Amino acid sequence: EIFDALGDQVGGLIGIDGVGTALQLFGLELPPEEVADLVTAIAPTLRKLRFEEFVHTILTQPTPGTSSEEEIAAIYDLFSQQGVVTATSVQAAMEALSQPVPPQRT
């Protein structure tokens, strides 16, 4: 559910554009070629990431001027409500970032 909030997923995967957008939301501006290289290095055939690969990618990309611990805490705080990350908390965070997510279909 959380992964769905990023919008570029197909079959449980997120593509290069979605990864680039997410990195920008976390304050890391990479040229599109570098994002493509990053994704291709992890998934050379698909050029799309599974959720676990995506999370690892986001958490291992340093933001200039912050420590990894500070960065992880800030990301977690952004996407959690009362210490838990849920689809609702991700939707709220994305809306706060001016990137609203359409409601889930049931």
Side-chain angles (χ1 to χ4, degrees):
E1 295 175 43
I2 295 168
F3 198 55
D4 293 341
L6 294 169
D8 188 26
Q9 74 290 342
V10 176
L13 303 172
I14 186 166
I16 293 169
D17 290 341
V19 172
T21 298
L23 290 172
Q24 287 177 344
L25 291 172
F26 296 129
L28 186 61
E29 298 286 332
L30 289 179
E33 304 81 32
E34 287 186 36
V35 176
D37 289 346
L38 180 66
V39 172
T40 302
I42 297 167
T45 304
L46 288 176
R47 295 180 54 134
K48 294 182 180 185
L49 303 179
R50 294 177 321 196
F51 178 73
E52 296 82 10
E53 295 166 329
F54 167 75
V55 170
H56 176 75
T57 300
I58 293 295
L59 294 179
T60 58
Q61 297 304 307
T63 300
T66 62
S67 73
S68 294
E69 187 174 318
E70 291 171 342
E71 187 174 300
I72 292 169
I75 291 168
Y76 186 80
D77 288 346
L78 176 67
F79 284 96
S80 68
Q81 290 177 345
Q82 299 176 352
V84 178
V85 177
T86 64
T88 302
S89 67
V90 170
Q91 286 176 325
M94 295 299 285
E95 187 157 324
L97 293 167
S98 300
Q99 299 288 326
V101 177
Q104 291 182 339
R105 296 182 196 146
T106 56

